[in-house]
Amino acid sequence: MAAPSDDSNISKTFENKFLQKDSYAEELRELMDSLPKEKGWITPDMYNYKGFWLGSIHLQGALRCQKHFQAQDYDIMLCSLQKTGTTWLKSLLFALITRKQYFPAAISQQQIHPLLTKNPHELIPGIEFYYAIENSPDFPMNNGRRILSTHLPGALLPKSVWESKCKLIYLCRNQKDTVVSFWHFMNKRRSSELGGAEAMPFPEAFDRYCRGEFQFGPFWDHMLGYWKESLENPSKVLFLKYEEIKEEPDVHLKRIAAFLDCPFSEEEKECGVVDGILRLCSFESLSNLEVNKTGKTIFRQTGNHAFFRKGKVGDWRNHMSDEMANKLDQIVDEKFKGTGQPERRVKEQATRG
Ligand code: PAP
């Protein structure tokens, strides 16, 4: 069946359904009853499944895609925790892979680029969300590839992802900016999806994040799983950082293109294709499009504007005390000690702002 596209129907049934425990399949209810649980940020509960925190929607989606999703060698899977820059990288990947159909440097004269009328999340589906709705969603092909995304940790991905030759790109971000971004986003969702529920105070959100108790967390195990795979198999997993892409977007876009076996030709570079993609996908460009100012996501009542807040490195300083920042730095140091994880470098960059 075709990928869902009518936002009004899906968002109503999808969210409401997953807030009602009675409506879950019996098998899922039994599993949920057997798992450790905590209060969810949006849903009433969150479950610890094999070491990771998932809401009922994501648990259903994870189990279904483990069972039914078949990765293909030509697939591209963008893997990330929430609020690490997924929307941005989705737009970059889409523009990169479809650049022959939609020439980014000449969009204004010749054609309407899909990114000008659709939110990146509509163009690149998150597999666990689609599998939460149905057993066999049909994902779109773009120039001979399927560009997909997931917030699932590597350990919960369907086996075929690891067994096939599909390529994985992992994106991470400085934790201090991530938790601030996550807190803002969740409060917007609480307000629009939970009938104006009160905002969660930042100290509470921060403590839960530090304990790893947020969707798809804890961040350390999520990151380390992909980090280790990227070291062992660099042609399979490319490990990227938001701050580094911000610093040298052209370098990283070319790196991504080479990793995906679709490098830019000299001619393309001279014609301004790299710059065209970066301009099209910049925060300023995407956040000012009508679809991203007033449109809604497929699954949620929350508007697309929630995916575009500031897009800056170092905004954590406006929300976090020194004591909080030190606490999170210590957790990062402790969790990544001895792993060779280059998190420290990300941290220093963000500290410099
Ligand atoms: P998601 O996991 O829910 O998809 P995600 O896109 O990963 O969210 O993260 C949103 C963050 O990326 C926001 O960060 P902020 O809250 O600190 O501002 C958002 O502003 C930022 N972002 C979105 N688009 C871009 C872009 N084109 N360039 C840079 N940052 C962006």
Side-chain angles (χ1 to χ4, degrees), residues 83-84 88 172-181 184 202 242-244 246-247 309-322 325 328-329 343 345-353:
K83 314 330 284 180
T84 56
W88 185 20
C172 68
R173 185 181 188 186
N174 170 276
Q175 277 75 36
K176 287 180 276 194
D177 282 334
T178 308
V179 63
V180 166
S181 182
H184 278 290
F202 184 66
Y242 179 90
E243 293 76 9
E244 291 186 351
K246 273 265 175 197
E247 218 165 63
R309 192 180 62 91
K310 285 192 176 175
K312 297 228 178 307
V313 176
D315 183 47
W316 60 267
R317 277 195 204 79
N318 297 317
H319 297 85
M320 221 178 260
S321 64
D322 287 348
L328 193 43
D329 282 349
E343 174 58 27
R345 173 137 183 253
V346 176
K347 198 170 76 191
E348 282 161 10
Q349 282 171 341
T351 308
R352 277 192 274 120

Side-chain angles (χ1 to χ4, degrees), residues 3 58 61-62 65-66 69-72 74-94 97 119-132 137-142 145-154 156-158 161 166-171 216 222 226 260 297-300 307:
H58 309 118
C65 61
Q66 282 172 1
F69 178 76
Q70 189 57 48
Q72 305 295 332
Y74 50 74
D75 285 346
I76 299 165
M77 184 77 77
L78 163 57
C79 313
S80 62
L81 277 168
Q82 285 181 289
K83 314 330 284 180
T84 56
T86 318
T87 314
W88 185 20
L89 196 48
K90 279 189 177 186
S91 68
L92 289 170
L93 285 175
F94 183 85
I97 295 299
N119 176 268
H121 292 284
E122 244 183 285
L123 296 168
I124 302 193
I127 58 169
E128 63 274 15
F129 292 99
Y130 281 75
Y131 274 99
D138 185 12
F139 296 122
M141 292 287 283
N142 286 294
R145 318 280 294 253
R146 287 195 306 182
I147 319 171
L148 306 165
S149 81
T150 184
H151 288 314
L152 291 174
L156 298 188
L157 285 180
V161 171
C166 89
K167 299 263 191 179
L168 273 58
I169 299 185
Y170 186 76
L171 179 64
F216 310 101
H222 200 282
Y226 286 102
L260 296 176
T297 59
I298 298 172
F299 297 109
R300 297 187 180 126
F307 292 108

Side-chain angles (χ1 to χ4, degrees), residues 323-335:
E323 195 186 331
M324 283 172 156
N326 288 337
K327 178 177 170 179
L328 193 43
D329 282 349
Q330 273 173 17
I331 292 171
V332 167
D333 285 345
E334 188 190 306
K335 298 291 181 188

